[in-house]
Amino acid sequence: MPTAIEQRGIHLVLPVTRQDLDNLDEFLQMYQRVCLQTGENVVLLTVFVNVRDGTNTNPGEDPFESGKTLIAR
């Protein structure tokens, strides 16, 4: 009788603030090289954390648009 093989994986939660956007591209390139290209069982959840500190002058503007574009490519 065949036995079930346990699938174990890693779930990474990456909180990203506006200050982290400069390093996001470098992290995503490393994640692709280390986790995706090697076939590792890793799931990346990116959480954009918008701290309202009064510096966003345009209320309709998305401060994370560049980060979302990086992930979408």
Side-chain angles (χ1 to χ4, degrees):
M1 176 175 218
T3 60
I5 297 174
E6 265 188 59
Q7 292 283 335
R8 295 188 185 227
I10 303 279
H11 289 80
L12 293 176
V13 179
L14 178 66
V16 178
T17 63
R18 281 182 273 173
Q19 292 79 19
D20 300 326
L21 287 174
D22 295 336
N23 299 325
L24 183 60
D25 186 36
E26 183 180 346
F27 175 84
L28 290 175
Q29 288 177 13
M30 183 175 37
Y31 173 77
Q32 180 182 10
R33 186 176 60 249
V34 173
C35 298
L36 298 180
Q37 289 180 352
T38 59
E40 297 294 329
N41 189 5
V42 179
V43 176
L44 177 65
L45 173 64
T46 307
V47 179
F48 293 104
V49 181
N50 190 11
V51 179
R52 296 183 184 185
D53 57 2
T55 59
N56 190 5
T57 57
N58 298 331
E61 183 180 316
D62 183 3
F64 298 107
E65 184 175 349
S66 63
K68 292 175 184 177
T69 303
L70 283 173
I71 292 172
R73 63 179 173 145

